Amino acid sequence: MKALVYEGPGQKSWKDVPDPKITHPTDVIVKIDTTTICGTDLHILKGDVPAVTPGRILGHEGVGTITEIGDAVTTLKVGDQVILSCVSACGKCSFCKQGVYSHCLGEEGASGIGWIFGHLIDGTQAEYVRVPYAENSVYPLPQGVNTQMGTLLSDILPTGHEIGVQYGAVKAGDVVAVVGAGPVGLASIATAGLYGPSRVIAIDLDSNRVEQAKKFGATDGVVSSAADWKEQVLALTDGLGVDVAIEAVGVPQTFEMCLDIVRPAGHVANVGVHGKSVDFDLQNLWISNIVISMGLVNTDTLGTLLKLVAQGKIPAEHFISHTFALGDIMEAYDVFGRAAETKALKVMLNA
């Protein structure tokens, strides 16, 4: 089969690799129908995720059709079209029983790490993929939700919702700022609206993304290259800062921006994947009574979000900016990597 293979920092190739095979009775093999590229894949290519070694097939999102099932799989069958969760869950360990699938203790990849696709095992940017713990890690695609919409539920929508909105404890009447209006930031904006905030402020260097964010539920936008960006944000509050600041980029500057605009007793929810250390001035922050959260998505809300997408309660269609054939994935990476120029949000790859 063909697959997108990581060859080391800054290097990737679309090439022939061996077809995946069932290795455990709980596995299934899935033929990929639609996959996509994530900002995390770009972090990997920069060398920010050293656990990803050369030769790894990238990708952790997608919808596909089951072509083979392991002997222990009873609730799925060949021909089922399913959403692949970006986090794999054995369903039996102590973390899985708590719903903390991101730290599944199963033996796939590495015990204690639930994100394994395109990280510790081969991923979804390929014609076929082996899916471990299949009965706990896929969701049937319902009628009325196409494969591109389903792919959004693999990662970005649960990540923005769980790590941004839920960890940020967004509640009715809050003023929420989302720093970084890329796909995950937009997912935070779209799902924040489910909790009734009074304002949702999109903050980004890219004026196009700030404007696009209004389609996802942002009430206000601030271009962060402006000298008075902070003053603009504070002017949209009572002057004391936002209730919730969501970091959705993964660089030190944007984390610092969140600390600059959060009010006393507010929440900072870090969603971005960081490749460098961040200065943390605890000697100044301790007195602020703020809560700082971070984490890897569990995808425990994927089923709920799927219902909301199916009912049109989340504006999922606006995420998709470009569509390519799977075989054109190298071009798709180029477009996604130059998002400021190409205005790319989610680029979809259809088999």
Side-chain angles (χ1 to χ4, degrees):
M1 70 171 184
K2 291 283 190 181
L4 193 285
V5 179
Y6 174 69
E7 307 285 10
Q11 300 177 57
K12 61 187 181 299
S13 61
W14 175 247
K15 66 181 187 181
D16 290 316
V17 299
D19 291 347
K21 292 180 168 43
I22 298 274
T23 60
H24 294 89
T26 52
D27 292 347
V28 300
I29 303 296
V30 169
K31 181 183 183 298
I32 291 294
D33 296 321
T34 298
T35 187
T36 186
I37 303 167
C38 180
T40 302
D41 297 319
L42 300 185
H43 279 285
I44 290 169
L45 285 165
K46 290 177 184 174
D48 289 347
V49 189
V52 180
T53 55
R56 177 69 61 227
I57 297 171
L58 296 185
H60 52 266
E61 302 161 275
V63 169
T65 302
I66 295 174
T67 60
E68 188 178 353
I69 62 172
D71 291 341
V73 176
T74 61
T75 61
L76 301 166
K77 64 183 185 301
V78 171
D80 285 350
Q81 196 168 42
V82 292
I83 300 167
L84 308 182
S85 170
C86 66
V87 167
S88 303
C90 75
K92 297 179 179 180
C93 72
S94 59
F95 282 120
C96 283
K97 288 178 178 178
Q98 297 173 58
V100 187
Y101 307 137
S102 56
H103 293 283
C104 172
L105 296 170
E107 64 180 11
E108 286 281 350
S111 180
I113 300 175
W115 168 43
I116 55 177
F117 276 143
H119 178 209
L120 303 175
I121 70 169
D122 287 336
T124 61
Q125 290 171 8
E127 293 178 319
Y128 292 86
V129 62
R130 179 181 70 90
V131 181
Y133 312 128
E135 291 183 316
N136 299 311
S137 304
V138 305
Y139 292 75
L141 187 74
Q143 288 188 345
V145 179
N146 64 38
T147 61
Q148 296 194 149
M149 298 295 181
T151 298
L152 297 172
L153 288 151
S154 290
D155 181 3
I156 65 165
L157 281 170
T159 295
H161 178 233
E162 294 169 25
I163 308 304
V165 177
Q166 289 192 326
Y167 277 28
V170 174
K171 61 185 184 301
D174 278 354
V175 177
V176 179
V178 179
V179 181
V184 172
L186 294 173
S188 296
I189 290 168
T191 55
L194 301 172
Y195 294 80
S198 60
R199 287 185 185 272
V200 179
I201 308 165
I203 305 172
D204 200 284
L205 282 168
D206 185 344
S207 59
N208 171 65
R209 284 192 165 183
V210 170
E211 189 60 31
Q212 291 292 321
K214 294 177 182 176
K215 295 180 182 178
F216 296 84
T219 57
D220 304 273
V222 172
V223 178
S224 54
S225 59
D228 66 341
W229 73 269
K230 180 179 176 181
E231 289 71 23
Q232 289 184 51
V233 174
L234 295 181
L236 296 169
T237 75
D238 53 10
L240 296 177
V242 301
D243 299 285
V244 183
I246 297 174
E247 195 284 330
V249 181
V251 296
Q253 295 91 331
T254 48
F255 185 76
E256 291 165 8
M257 288 169 68
C258 289
L259 295 176
D260 282 343
I261 59 175
V262 69
R263 67 190 297 117
H267 285 72
V268 173
N270 181 87
V271 185
V273 177
H274 287 263
K276 296 179 180 178
S277 63
V278 173
D279 289 333
F280 192 74
D281 296 326
L282 191 58
Q283 74 280 4
N284 299 323
L285 291 169
W286 73 270
I287 204 170
S288 298
N289 292 71
I290 60 173
V291 173
I292 298 175
S293 61
M294 63 201 72
L296 175 64
V297 65
N298 292 304
T299 67
D300 61 304
T301 66
L302 194 159
T304 298
L305 295 172
L306 177 56
K307 294 177 185 177
L308 295 170
V309 168
Q311 293 300 315
K313 302 294 186 183
I314 295 173
E317 67 279 3
H318 296 313
F319 283 97
I320 301 164
S321 61
H322 295 74
T323 299
F324 296 88
L326 181 58
D328 294 329
I329 192 168
M330 296 293 278
E331 180 186 353
Y333 259 97
D334 176 63
V335 168
F336 187 64
R338 296 184 295 110
E341 302 168 50
T342 62
K343 299 184 179 180
L345 293 176
K346 287 301 275 187
V347 299
M348 289 293 169
L349 296 144
N350 296 323

